[in-house]
């Protein structure tokens, strides 16, 4: 079995460099045969693309997509500096 | 002199797939703020098409918009064209320079640009060794030097530095410390502290925290969208603030 750290590094690099994703802020953890993706993106399409790229880069492993969508609430109270 | 209300956001990462979403959140901004600052990573891949989406979302707002680019906006080597498209849409884009706006009699000076990395005092790269290392550090040093000149040129009631990369570690808390040198540089804070400013606004660190301060006491705010979780934050500058 490939060393988990190298799998995680390869997936993270693919997410940053693959033009379908270009996502730098996704945390990738590998435990045994499981890949966990965590972070935040703007829309569900981007969330799915990240999962696709991760699956292609770590074939045969189970990918858990725990990425959430960025909240964008109405502007809140102003801060007085 | 009346107070100024500064709306600020960064890392909006717009593209065709989210066209129109951000614009909706800007409705009514004129009731909440006098100006909107956007701290880079306007796009995801840095393509001209994405740049056009950004221009469409930010154009013709009832308040002036000042922006800088981020590292994502450089990825496709179309940064110059993106700047032109944004400027054509009436957005002030700072590329290591300053702009002064008259906001109903109060002059706001904003200086800045993308910024760059290198790390923070005591744990940073130096201009030594291989040409690649020297070029990396020199890029930040040159930017800091241009920001000094830009800040010096400002004659205004308030001064803000707008950056993509962070000038301090405080606002990176939450990010892995191993990547701090890729998230900012103390050289940016040093330039601001030397020339003086009321506020430094930046983005880039999606997992960081909002509030920090430079070694010289200037307030720093990380306004990356995943950090502030609102369409923008509003900071009030003035004697009554």
């Amino acid at each position: 079995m490939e060393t988990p750290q190298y799998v995680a590094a390869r997936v993270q690099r693919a997410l940053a460099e693959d033009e379908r994703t270009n996502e730098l802020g996704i945390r990738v953890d590998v435990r045994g045969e499981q890949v966990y993706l965590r972070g935040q993106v703007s829309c569900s399409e981007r969330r799915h693309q990240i999962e696709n790229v991760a699956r292609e880069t770590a074939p045969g492993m189970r990918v858990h997509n725990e990425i959430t969508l960025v909240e964008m609430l109405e502007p809140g109270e102003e801060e007085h500096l | 002199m009346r107070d100024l209300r500064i709306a600020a956001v960064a890392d909006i990462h717009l593209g065709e797939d989210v066209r129109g979403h951000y614009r909706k959140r800007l409705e009514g901004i004129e009731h909440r703020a006098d100006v909107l600052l956007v701290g880079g990573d306007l796009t995801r891949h840095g393509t001209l098409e994405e740049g056009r989406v950004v221009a469409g979302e930010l154009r013709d707002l009832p308040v002036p918009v000042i922006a800088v680019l981020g590292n994502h906006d450089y990825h496709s080597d179309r940064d110059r064209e993106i700047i032109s498209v944004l400027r054509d849409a009436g957005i002030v884009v700072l590329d290591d320079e300053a702009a002064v706006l008259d906001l109903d009699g109060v002059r706001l000076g904003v200086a800045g640009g993308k910024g760059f990395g290198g790390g923070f005092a005591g744990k940073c790269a130096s201009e030594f060794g291989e040409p690649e290392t020297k070029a990396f550090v020199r890029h930040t040093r040159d930017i800091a030097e241009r920001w000094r000149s830009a800040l010096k040129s400002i004659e205004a009631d308030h001064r803000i530095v707008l950056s993509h990369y962070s000038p301090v570690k405080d606002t990176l808390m939450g990010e892995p410390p191993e990547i701090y040198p890729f998230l900012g540089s103390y050289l940016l804070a040093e330039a601001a502290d030397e020339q003086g400013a009321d506020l430094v606004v930046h983005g880039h660190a999606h997992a960081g925290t909002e509030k920090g301060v430079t070694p010289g006491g200037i307030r720093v705010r990380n306004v990356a969208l995943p950090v502030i979780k609102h369409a923008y934050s509003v900071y009030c500058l003035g004697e009554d603030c």
Side-chain angles (χ1 to χ4, degrees):
Chain A
M1 193 174 76
E2 196 180 356
T3 310
Q5 284 89 338
Y6 292 134
V7 177
R10 193 172 64 232
V11 173
Q12 199 141 29
R13 184 176 166 191
L15 295 178
E17 296 178 1
D18 192 300
E19 63 180 23
R20 289 170 292 171
T21 50
N22 284 148
E23 294 285 351
L24 302 178
I26 304 301
R27 182 173 164 170
V28 181
D29 286 310
V30 176
R31 300 284 183 272
E33 300 280 302
Q34 321 278 323
V35 179
Y36 299 87
L37 305 173
R38 298 190 197 109
Q40 291 192 313
V41 295
S42 312
C43 67
S44 51
E45 174 58 25
R46 293 183 188 180
R47 191 173 171 274
H48 291 307
Q49 284 290 24
I50 289 168
E51 185 177 326
N52 292 340
V53 171
R55 283 188 197 287
E56 288 170 23
T57 323
M61 300 188 78
R62 185 159 174 215
V63 175
H64 300 272
N65 189 346
E66 298 177 0
I67 292 164
T68 54
L69 300 185
V70 178
E71 280 184 88
M72 196 171 28
L73 308 168
E74 285 288 311
E77 207 173 306
E78 63 191 32
E79 183 193 1
H80 293 250
L81 297 179
Chain B
M1 190 171 60
R2 72 182 187 90
D3 297 338
L4 277 188
R5 294 163 306 158
I6 314 296
V9 66
D11 302 84
I12 53 178
H13 291 290
L14 300 182
E16 201 57 59
D17 53 351
V18 292
R19 185 194 282 272
H21 291 200
Y22 190 66
R23 177 72 183 201
K24 263 187 249 161
R25 296 295 188 173
L26 295 174
E27 277 173 21
I29 189 170
E30 69 274 24
H31 304 301
R32 296 189 169 103
D34 300 295
V35 63
L36 173 64
L37 307 184
V38 190
D41 275 5
L42 314 172
T43 68
R44 195 154 61 125
H45 309 95
T47 63
L48 192 52
E49 292 69 29
E50 288 179 336
R52 290 195 181 105
V53 172
V54 176
E57 300 277 295
L58 299 180
R59 76 183 315 146
D60 300 327
L61 282 176
V63 298
V65 180
I66 303 182
V68 298
L69 299 191
N71 54 316
H72 279 250
D73 309 317
Y74 279 76
H75 181 65
S76 301
D77 298 322
R78 308 302 291 272
D79 45 286
R80 297 300 103 185
E81 290 143 287
I82 291 174
I83 289 176
S84 295
V85 163
L86 295 175
R87 285 179 176 159
D88 287 348
I91 297 155
V92 176
V93 185
L94 300 179
D95 184 24
D96 297 340
E97 59 206 317
V100 178
L101 300 183
D102 189 318
L103 301 168
D104 289 333
V106 184
R107 287 167 308 155
L108 172 68
V110 183
K114 170 183 69 69
F116 199 48
F120 298 91
K123 298 177 180 64
C124 57
S126 333
E127 222 173 298
F128 178 83
E130 301 90 325
E132 290 83 358
T133 307
K134 285 189 272 203
F136 181 87
V137 178
R138 198 175 301 130
H139 183 50
T140 313
R141 207 174 282 283
D142 290 345
I143 286 169
E145 199 47 50
R146 289 195 288 270
W147 288 13
R148 270 191 187 86
S149 306
L151 278 165
K152 208 172 198 167
S153 72
I154 292 177
E155 285 184 24
D157 302 303
H158 297 289
R159 294 141 71 95
I160 294 178
V161 175
L162 178 60
S163 175
H164 181 58
Y165 286 77
S166 176
V168 295
K169 282 193 291 189
D170 308 22
T171 47
L172 302 182
M173 276 184 66
E175 295 282 0
E178 294 89 340
I179 67 167
Y180 281 12
F182 301 103
L183 298 179
S185 165
Y186 80 97
L187 295 169
L188 308 176
E190 192 179 41
D193 279 335
E194 196 182 291
Q195 296 298 324
D198 300 292
L199 172 68
V200 184
V201 172
H202 75 89
H204 194 41
H206 291 205
T209 48
E210 185 187 1
K211 296 178 184 179
V213 65
T214 65
I218 301 170
R219 251 77 71 90
V220 179
R221 295 292 179 264
N222 173 3
V223 293
L225 203 49
V227 172
I228 60 173
K229 295 182 170 48
H230 290 80
Y232 49 85
S233 286
V234 180
Y235 305 108
C236 183
L237 296 178
E239 286 160 14
D240 296 331
C241 291

